[in-house]
Amino acid sequence: MNAVIALCHFCEAHGPCAIFCTQTLRDTKLEDLSLDQQTQKTCSACNYSISKNSNAIYSRDTESGATFVSTKVAVLPKVASLVKEAAVLSLSNGTDASKDGEFVFFGDSTRGHILSHTFRISDLQARGYSQLFSIIVLMKDKYFLLNIKPFLAEHLKKVSSELQAAAKKTKETEELTYSERQRRLSGAQFLMPTSRSLLELTGEEHIFAQLHSHFSWLLLAGSRFLTEHVTFGNLPWLPPQSSGRPPAQRLTYNSSTLPMIESIDDPDLEEFFSLRHLKSVVRKEEFATVCYCALTGVKIVVRGDPRKTFRFMVCLKKLLPEPMHNLMRIDAQHQHSISSEYKIISVSNDIAVPMASSSVYRIDFLDKHVNGHEVSVKWPGELPRKLPDLMVKLLKAVEEKNFTELVLNKQTKVLIEEWKNKVTCLNHAKSNSVQGKLKKVLGVQPHDQPIINYWSTHLH
């Protein structure tokens, strides 16, 4: 996403200014930039260290090659001047900064368009016992910024809440040892308020590393939102608010930061993609095997044109409970994604994939129909003699002629949710004997164990 995210504050000595900026570098290399930024401001609130060993924090997205860099001042001079002006508007007369937690949209085509989120952080040494901060998102594309405002607002609110909670703890600790309010009311000589840095206010040693992680993830999510999927009828790359996390190799860092989050979103017309779509693509016997592999954790690699594989992947997702949807990867762009922790993955034809084996189920979408079929399925494994009860019920639901697509989707969701709850209950069993009793109560049989083994490692 071609945007800049900046944290701003209102300094008692220097007025409104940006103190931490994160932006995306695509064509510019870090080596070509001067990251040793010097500031002429002497107060502790403005003159601070981002990290012990560097004046910048950066992370790199291994798929797109984009670099996310955070510094005190935006590294590109033209951008720095725009951020400086936006910070002033964000915390002064440009917006009503008196409201805590407010979101305001302003700007123009010349100065850029800005989404501003203002909030206050507790500080016993400040006037009013709080400092005014804001987080701004600056970009040139007005309509894109307006469209993703709900997404940005929700996540920026989480960031400000984290800062406020940390500052509140610091304030409570300080009040136990020394009350600034009591000192002032006692008639002692009045002292000018002392500006303190965000690190002092929150007491978090790696607060700027955490902010970098939040801001760079927002920029990464925005770039995925911009990916065009018009053929598919949706924009599937905007991550939902989920606990799912991509593999560690997805992003690399120069500092310890918070984990990143990425997952896939449901399509707008999901009700029209039931399990019957899977059955219409593969042969009858192959339909049972692909369902079994998805339910029990055998890696499934779907290879072909994304316009053909996307619906197939959406249907496979219905075979897993929502907390396990992060184990899927739609339209992977690189070879390393195949060897990652993803269990169900789709790739284009130009990416090499492993040979089919007992642990790898391959589905290749063909350019032309061969013997009346549009896919080639390869899996040397075999189905067990007795199938898990969940799978038996799913196969029966698909065969039920009275079920419409929407009803079949509802039935599928109910069955998956039922077994998710069973696995969650079994995970809370403190001993094997208790778990054995629970299995009898829940109706879990030995032939259900492959699903239990797979789901229990991801459901808590």
Side-chain angles (χ1 to χ4, degrees):
M1 181 169 66
N2 294 323
V4 181
I5 305 179
L7 176 69
C8 313
H9 79 151
F10 194 99
C11 177
E12 294 284 353
H14 304 105
C17 58
I19 59 173
F20 188 80
C21 303
T22 304
Q23 61 187 114
T24 308
L25 301 179
R26 299 187 184 276
D27 300 323
T28 306
K29 297 181 179 180
L30 288 174
E31 295 77 10
D32 299 333
L33 299 172
S34 176
L35 300 179
D36 296 328
Q37 300 169 331
Q38 301 294 330
T39 177
Q40 298 178 351
K41 299 177 180 179
T42 57
C43 70
S44 60
C46 299
N47 189 15
Y48 63 92
S49 297
I50 290 182
S51 64
K52 294 181 179 180
N53 302 320
S54 174
N55 290 324
I57 302 175
Y58 65 86
S59 57
R60 183 173 287 108
D61 177 18
T62 56
E63 288 197 3
S64 65
T67 299
F68 306 100
V69 59
S70 295
T71 50
K72 293 182 181 180
V73 181
V75 292
L76 302 178
K78 292 183 179 179
V79 176
S81 61
L82 294 176
V83 172
K84 181 178 180 180
E85 187 174 359
V88 173
L89 292 174
S90 174
L91 294 171
S92 60
N93 294 332
T95 63
D96 182 5
S98 63
K99 296 182 180 179
D100 189 16
E102 183 185 42
F103 286 91
V104 177
F105 178 84
F106 59 92
D108 52 45
S109 58
T110 303
R111 297 176 295 180
H113 301 280
I114 300 101
L115 176 65
S116 171
H117 170 46
T118 57
F119 57 97
R120 293 186 177 276
I121 290 183
S122 300
D123 182 6
L124 284 178
Q125 296 184 17
R127 290 183 296 180
Y129 308 107
S130 65
Q131 285 195 36
L132 183 62
F133 283 79
S134 72
I135 302 175
I136 60 173
V137 181
L138 169 68
M139 67 171 63
K140 289 291 187 178
D141 193 330
K142 173 183 178 180
Y143 297 103
F144 178 65
L145 181 58
L146 286 172
N147 284 334
I148 64 170
K149 178 184 175 182
F151 168 73
L152 292 174
E154 181 173 355
H155 286 277
L156 293 181
K157 184 63 178 178
K158 291 180 180 179
V159 175
S160 63
S161 296
E162 287 183 11
L163 296 177
Q164 289 173 326
K168 184 178 179 181
K169 290 182 180 179
T170 301
K171 176 185 176 182
E172 291 173 350
T173 302
E174 291 177 345
E175 285 179 333
L176 292 176
T177 57
Y178 179 76
S179 173
E180 180 71 12
R181 186 172 186 274
Q182 290 179 359
R183 181 185 64 80
R184 291 180 179 181
L185 294 177
S186 66
Q189 183 180 3
F190 178 79
L191 298 176
M192 290 297 293
T194 302
S195 297
R196 294 193 290 176
S197 68
L198 187 64
L199 192 151
E200 295 174 295
L201 294 177
T202 61
E204 295 285 348
E205 181 181 0
H206 302 293
I207 188 62
F208 294 110
Q210 294 177 24
L211 286 173
H212 170 79
S213 180
H214 286 307
F215 292 170
S216 59
W217 177 80
L218 282 172
L219 293 171
L220 176 62
S223 66
R224 287 303 182 187
F225 186 84
L226 276 171
T227 302
E228 292 188 65
H229 290 271
V230 178
T231 305
F232 306 148
N234 78 315
L235 293 169
W237 283 111
L238 181 61
Q241 287 62 62
S242 158
S243 59
R245 296 168 185 171
Q249 67 267 28
R250 176 57 208 247
L251 288 120
T252 56
Y253 302 92
N254 74 321
S255 180
S256 174
T257 57
L258 296 178
M260 310 299 275
I261 302 172
E262 182 182 12
S263 184
I264 59 174
D265 196 17
D266 292 335
D268 296 332
L269 302 177
E270 182 182 356
E271 61 268 23
F272 297 106
F273 303 136
S274 72
L275 295 182
R276 287 189 181 129
H277 179 72
L278 297 180
K279 188 179 179 182
S280 68
V281 173
V282 300
R283 298 179 178 90
K284 182 177 181 180
E285 61 275 12
E286 294 167 346
F287 173 65
T289 58
V290 71
C291 289
Y292 179 79
C293 290
L295 290 169
T296 59
V298 176
K299 183 182 283 290
I300 298 176
V301 179
V302 182
R303 190 167 182 249
D305 189 330
R307 290 171 293 183
K308 296 180 179 180
T309 63
F310 182 76
R311 292 186 180 183
F312 196 85
M313 293 291 288
V314 169
C315 297
L316 284 176
K317 188 178 69 170
K318 298 178 187 297
L319 292 169
L320 294 176
E322 186 175 350
M324 297 175 66
H325 287 175
N326 61 302
L327 298 175
M328 295 186 63
R329 178 72 158 90
I330 291 181
D331 195 20
Q333 302 295 322
H334 293 281
Q335 175 71 26
H336 69 74
S337 297
I338 299 177
S339 59
S340 70
E341 64 184 29
Y342 293 117
K343 287 295 186 179
I344 303 176
I345 183 171
S346 67
V347 298
S348 57
N349 287 319
D350 57 347
I351 298 179
V353 297
M355 297 291 292
S357 64
S358 59
S359 59
V360 177
Y361 190 102
R362 270 191 59 173
I363 303 175
D364 291 83
F365 277 73
L366 308 174
D367 294 332
K368 297 181 180 180
H369 283 68
V370 178
N371 298 326
H373 296 281
E374 62 174 311
V375 298
S376 171
V377 177
K378 298 178 182 178
W379 186 54
E382 295 182 356
L383 291 176
R385 292 184 178 181
K386 193 165 186 180
L387 298 175
D389 287 346
L390 172 59
M391 183 173 167
V392 172
K393 292 179 180 179
L394 287 172
L395 295 178
K396 184 177 180 181
V398 173
E399 295 292 339
E400 179 55 62
K401 295 181 180 179
N402 292 326
F403 282 178
T404 64
E405 301 295 293
L406 185 58
V407 172
L408 177 56
N409 271 334
K410 296 292 184 181
Q411 177 68 2
T412 301
K413 188 172 183 179
V414 167
L415 291 173
I416 297 299
E417 191 71 17
E418 175 189 355
W419 277 86
K420 184 196 80 169
N421 293 336
K422 289 183 179 182
V423 174
T424 303
C425 288
L426 292 174
N427 277 344
H428 284 81
K430 297 182 179 179
S431 65
N432 292 334
S433 60
V434 174
Q435 191 174 80
K437 294 178 181 179
L438 271 176
K439 286 183 178 180
K440 292 182 180 180
V441 174
L442 298 173
V444 177
Q445 302 295 323
H447 53 265
D448 299 316
Q449 199 59 42
I451 293 179
I452 303 298
N453 293 340
Y454 175 41
W455 290 20
S456 62
T457 58
H458 301 282
L459 300 176
H460 303 285

